[in-house]
Each structure stands twice: as structure tokens, then as C-alpha cells.
Amino acid sequence: RDRETPKERTVSALVNRWLDERRDEARKKTRSVESAESLRWCLDLFCNHVGTATNIDAITADVWNRWFAYCAGQVAKRDENDEDGWSADTAQKIFTTSRSFMKWCWELSVLDALPRNLTSKKHKFERPQKTISTFTNDEIKTLLSAKKGAHRLILLLMLN
């Protein structure tokens, strides 16, 4: 029969403890309130994904890979539709915050060991650069030849 996880070893309890430290930093003005709130949002997503009542020891390399896959899936949703999912930057922030939380648990000896893939270089959310459309020289000549004075100056400034 499974034993119930002691409350102080649940992901939720440890996240709340970590967040209390970040809120204390905000009260002491060493961190902004907005930053502390942003970290709370990131860890709420992590907590909901792995399970609030989950024992912190259950976050293995496999669980960490599934968390990365979930975050990467959110980026893929954004690629398909600008209204869905997360940007690559947002996914990186969420993933980095959860990694910092895991390291904090290890530093406090709450965890004996970290998932071996916690700092894997494969866990990236890079997207290909979008091509930027530019004017051809002929298009610029056409634009500039049609304008005089201040309008021409504005176009030159814009093109710079």
C-alpha cells in the first residue's frame, strides 16, 4: 500500500516555501513585487504539471523530460497560432524558474540528487529567425524620388 507523502515534501509545499523567500526579497526591496509574482506564475504551471501533492523525490529525469516536452509543446502551439501557447522566451523563463526551484531544493538537502538531465543542453526553446523583408535599391529610389523636403527626410530616417 502506498504511503501518503508528508505535506512538507510535496511539490506544492516546497514551492510555497520557495515563493515565501522570493516574497521576502520583494518586501526587503531586493526583488520587485512583479518579479516575485512572475516567479509564482511560472511555478504554478510547473506545480500543476507535475502534481501539487507529488513527492519532490518523484521528480526524476523522466518527469523532467516530460516537463520539457510540455513546455516545448506550448511553443509549438504558438508557432501554429499567435493566440495559443507560449513564446520561446516565455517557455525559457518558466523552465529556468522551475530549474532554479529544483536546485534550491537540492541546496537545502530536501533532495539528495537532482535529475541528471536538469541542465541538459538539449533543453532549448530556440525558434528559427523570421526573415525581415527589406526594400530593394530600386524601390528606395522610387520612394525618394517621389518625395521632397521633410517627407524625404522622414523616409531617410525611417530607412536608416
Side-chain angles (χ1 to χ4, degrees), residues 67-80:
W67 171 234
F68 170 75
Y70 174 78
C71 294
Q74 293 298 313
V75 175
K77 281 183 183 179
R78 175 62 59 93
D79 288 345
E80 293 171 12

Side-chain angles (χ1 to χ4, degrees), residues 52-68:
T52 56
T54 300
N55 188 317
I56 193 69
D57 295 313
I59 301 179
T60 61
D62 181 55
V63 172
W64 194 252
N65 267 336
R66 282 186 271 137
W67 171 234
F68 170 75

Side-chain angles (χ1 to χ4, degrees), residues 2 7 15 18 29 35 41 73 80 97 125 130 144 156:
D2 289 337
K7 186 173 181 352
V15 161
W18 189 81
K29 307 283 189 224
S35 171
W41 176 75
E80 293 171 12
T97 301
F125 302 100
K130 293 181 181 178
L144 292 176
L156 287 168

Side-chain angles (χ1 to χ4, degrees), residues 26 31 33 41-42 46 49 68 71 79 95 136 153 158:
R31 171 183 301 279
V33 172
W41 176 75
C42 293
F46 175 69
H49 180 77
F68 170 75
C71 294
D79 288 345
F95 197 72
T136 65
L153 176 62
M158 177 190 71

